[in-house]
């Protein structure tokens, strides 16, 4: 299947070719014709599936096929959960729109930076607004824009928007939109909250489910290394040195750990930067830019970097701390092996039963078994507590979260005889 057979205009087909998209991805093949036909859609697809272009391409075409109003009015509104995703969607739109006969005015809006340049930029309107919910409401309160002409609304990473507690903000924004409009939901998963919102907001939606794990599993080699907690930084250094990785994204559990591990790596002469929610937006953007340009070799991040961020040619992701849930695991490892490239995801599994059991639960949820490896010189010396039976019932066990103190005590008691 080709992009032109999906009904896209020559200018858009030209742009996708220029960006080396040879064939449409699965989500693009299903979603583009439906969106062009004006349908609502509920799409479950993760970052890495090509979902951004799946809505950007048809929305650009719809925008440019309508007569332009004399003053620019916001016709397309794209709501995203994070600043990084807003910037990324804006960048994709800019690239894809470049051969269209008329210019497209985009406004990328997010908090954490001064509001004034955004207000100035919105003067005279914008064709497409890409925004996080909070800052959009601030701008609406200041009458910096109107949503009364919006024809198409996209909720990108709808599950994440709700996870981050944007439900009230969404309700307030939706109340300002015209009833007659096209609404598109893109979400990695469709939990009950998203389903309810979709039922309230979508009219006869086309449902598309792209099994990203299955599609992408062959591209990501998953490994698990058993190591003592206190040896992890040394092991990480050893792997960076011996495996000659060009760049590594390392996930840790806390902001403090992100800072600490980055400092330790820097002390060892490795160019590393922390990345977490407490850094200023300017710093976060800078770190990402430097990482993308290979000026920084290692980024040590909390889960704020687990979703939405698209770094091409990222060869390795390391779970220094295990993710809290199997969904987070999927998102983290999905930062590598993108767009058909091969990727490697390594998880450090520490030699205590809680960590081991937690990783087993992640394996069960993913229906796979990953061999535990030991690296010479880093063999664990912590005495492992005997493995504890993990409840295979998906509703039982530790619900995909790290076990708490009680879980650990219970596990020890079960194994004491
Ligand atoms: P997304 O799922 O939107 O985050 O996109 C993931 C990556 O895939 C981005 O780097 C896109 O540039 C790239 N991409 C999107 N569509 C295609 C395609 N049809 N062929 C190749 N790469 C693509």
């Amino acid at each position: 299947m080709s992009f032109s057979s999906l009904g896209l205009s020559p200018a858009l087909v030209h742009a996708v070719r220029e960006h080396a998209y040879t064939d449409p991805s699965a989500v693009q093949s299903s979603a583009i014709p439906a969106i062009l036909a004006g349908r609502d859609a509920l799409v479950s697809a993760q970052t890495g599936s090509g979902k951004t272009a799946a809505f950007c391409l048809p929305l650009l075409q719809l925008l440019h096929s309508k007569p332009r109003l004399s003053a620019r009015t916001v016709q397309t509104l794209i709501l995203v959960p994070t600043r990084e995703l807003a910037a990324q969607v804006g960048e994709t739109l800019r690239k894809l729109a470049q051969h269209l006969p008329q210019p497209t005015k985009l406004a990328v809006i997010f908090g954490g930076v001064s509001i004034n340049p955004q207000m100035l930029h919105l003067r005279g309107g914008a064709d497409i607004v890409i925004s996080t919910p909070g800052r959009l409401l601030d701008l609406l309160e200041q009458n910096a824009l109107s949503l009364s002409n919006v024809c198409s609304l996209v909720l990108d990473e709808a599950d994440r928007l709700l996870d981050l507690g944007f439900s009230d903000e969404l309700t307030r924004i939706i109340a300002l939109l015209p009833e007659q409009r096209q609404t598109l939901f893109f979400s990695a998963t469709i939990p009950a909250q998203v389903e309810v919102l979709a039922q309230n907001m979508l009219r006869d939606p086309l449902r598309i489910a792209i099994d990203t794990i299955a599609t992408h599993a062959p591209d990501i080699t998953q490994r698990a290394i058993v190591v003592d907690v206190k040896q992890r930084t040394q092991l990480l250094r050893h792997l960076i040195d011996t495996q000659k990785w060009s760049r590594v994204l390392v996930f840790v559990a806390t902001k403090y750990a992100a800072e600490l591990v980055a400092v330790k790596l820097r002390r060892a002469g490795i160019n590393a930067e922390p990345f977490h929610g407490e850094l200023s937006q300017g710093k976060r953007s800078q770190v990402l830019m430097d990482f993308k340009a290979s000026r920084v070799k290692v980024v040590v991040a909390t889960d704020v970097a687990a979703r939405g961020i698209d770094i091409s040619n990222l060869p390795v992701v390391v779970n220094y701390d295990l993710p809290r849930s199997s969904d987070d695991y999927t998102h983290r490892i999905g930062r590598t092996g993108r767009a058909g490239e091969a990727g490697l995801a390594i998880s450090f599994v520490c030699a205590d039963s809680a960590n081991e059991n937690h990783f087993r639960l992640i394996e069960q949820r993913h229906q796979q078994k990953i061999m535990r490896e030991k690296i010479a010189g880093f063999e664990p010396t912590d005495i492992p507590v005997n493995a504890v039976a993990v409840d295979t019932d998906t509703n039982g066990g530790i619900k995909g979260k790290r076990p708490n103190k009680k879980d650990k005590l219970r596990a020890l008691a079960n194994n004491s005889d």
Side-chain angles (χ1 to χ4, degrees):
M1 191 180 286
S2 66
F3 276 101
S4 46
S5 71
L6 299 178
L8 292 172
S9 69
L12 291 170
V13 174
H14 183 174
V16 291
R17 282 217 195 97
E18 226 167 52
H19 292 97
Y21 299 2
T22 39
D23 300 306
S25 66
V27 64
Q28 291 162 357
S29 304
S30 316
I32 290 173
I35 299 174
L36 284 176
R39 277 195 75 172
D40 284 4
L42 174 56
V43 183
S44 76
Q46 284 162 4
T47 47
S49 59
K51 63 160 177 86
T52 315
F55 62 80
C56 289
L57 285 165
L59 290 178
L60 280 168
Q61 178 145 327
L62 289 176
L63 177 78
H64 284 268
S65 60
K66 284 179 203 134
R68 311 303 278 279
L69 301 172
S70 51
R72 276 201 154 100
T73 57
V74 180
Q75 301 214 18
T76 305
L77 175 63
I78 302 173
L79 292 174
V80 295
T82 61
R83 306 150 185 188
E84 282 76 22
L85 191 56
Q88 220 163 266
V89 172
E91 196 45 43
T92 302
L93 280 164
R94 206 162 286 128
K95 285 196 302 198
L96 295 176
Q98 65 190 347
H99 299 296
L100 288 164
Q102 288 185 44
T104 311
K105 184 170 173 193
L106 306 174
V108 178
I109 287 166
F110 45 74
V113 292
S114 163
I115 200 166
N116 295 335
Q118 296 177 349
M119 292 184 70
L120 271 178
H121 184 66
L122 281 167
R123 275 207 192 138
D127 297 312
I128 305 181
V129 169
I130 307 112
S131 183
T132 51
R135 180 51 66 91
L136 182 67
L137 282 170
D138 292 345
L139 285 160
L140 285 163
E141 269 160 25
Q142 310 220 23
N143 289 322
L145 78 165
S146 152
L147 300 181
S148 57
N149 287 299
V150 168
C151 306
S152 302
L153 167 71
V154 180
L155 258 58
D156 191 14
E157 298 201 351
D159 51 351
R160 185 89 167 131
L161 274 165
L162 295 176
D163 268 1
L164 291 175
F166 282 128
S167 175
D168 289 348
E169 284 86 346
L170 289 180
T171 310
R172 285 170 59 199
I173 293 167
I174 290 157
L176 300 171
L177 298 172
E179 290 255 319
Q180 277 298 321
R181 56 160 203 267
Q182 178 177 36
T183 307
L184 308 169
F185 273 37
F186 284 77
S187 198
T189 51
I190 311 285
Q193 249 191 319
V194 173
E195 185 66 48
V196 169
L197 194 65
Q199 276 177 14
N200 289 335
M201 287 177 62
L202 303 178
R203 286 164 300 131
D204 181 28
L206 177 71
R207 284 178 175 259
I208 300 170
I210 304 294
D211 185 354
T212 326
I213 295 171
T215 318
H216 281 260
D219 295 326
I220 304 172
T221 305
Q222 296 175 59
R223 291 173 54 191
I225 299 177
V226 191
V227 61
D228 286 345
V229 169
K230 54 186 179 297
Q231 283 282 300
R232 288 176 300 175
T233 310
Q234 296 279 23
L235 175 60
L236 183 60
R237 281 176 51 188
H238 171 78
L239 292 171
I240 292 168
D241 290 343
T242 55
Q243 307 294 307
K244 309 264 177 270
W245 293 329
S246 53
R247 280 182 302 168
V248 196
L249 180 57
V250 177
F251 282 105
V252 292
T254 61
K255 292 161 194 164
Y256 175 74
E259 293 283 347
L260 191 68
V261 175
V263 165
K264 284 186 184 169
L265 292 175
R266 273 208 301 273
R267 270 194 214 133
I270 296 168
N271 191 354
E273 287 288 344
F275 187 92
H276 54 75
E278 244 162 52
L279 297 175
S280 71
Q281 182 52 33
K283 177 70 183 165
R284 275 164 66 168
S285 305
Q286 187 62 46
V287 170
L288 269 190
M289 230 159 61
D290 288 345
F291 195 43
K292 286 182 182 181
S294 296
R295 286 189 291 269
V296 164
K297 194 184 182 83
V298 184
V299 167
V300 189
T302 58
D303 280 292
V304 79
R307 295 201 190 201
I309 288 175
D310 180 37
I311 300 152
S312 52
N313 293 310
L314 176 64
V316 193
V317 165
V318 172
N319 287 319
Y320 183 103
D321 285 318
L322 290 180
R324 282 165 55 83
S325 72
S326 60
D327 273 355
D328 288 343
Y329 181 80
T330 307
H331 292 301
R332 284 181 177 192
I333 71 168
R335 298 312 95 209
T336 181
R338 293 167 72 73
E341 294 155 6
L344 171 64
I346 293 184
S347 298
F348 290 169
V349 180
C350 297
D352 68 309
S353 80
N355 217 216
E356 170 60 34
N357 280 344
H358 184 62
F359 195 65
R360 264 195 246 164
L361 199 81
I362 291 173
E363 289 179 309
Q364 282 170 8
R365 296 266 162 92
H366 286 256
Q367 295 175 349
Q368 64 189 149
K369 187 90 195 99
I370 301 168
M371 201 184 74
R372 305 292 186 270
E373 300 171 40
K374 287 179 189 153
I375 302 291
F378 297 91
E379 292 89 348
T381 52
D382 282 351
I383 301 160
V385 179
N386 286 342
V388 183
V390 175
D391 190 348
T392 50
D393 176 348
T394 47
N395 293 320
I398 48 182
K399 298 196 178 110
K401 298 261 192 287
R402 280 183 193 286
N404 58 25
K405 230 180 196 172
K406 255 195 222 154
D407 289 321
K408 288 182 192 170
L409 288 173
R410 223 177 283 135
L412 280 168
N414 284 343
N415 282 273
S416 57
D417 48 8

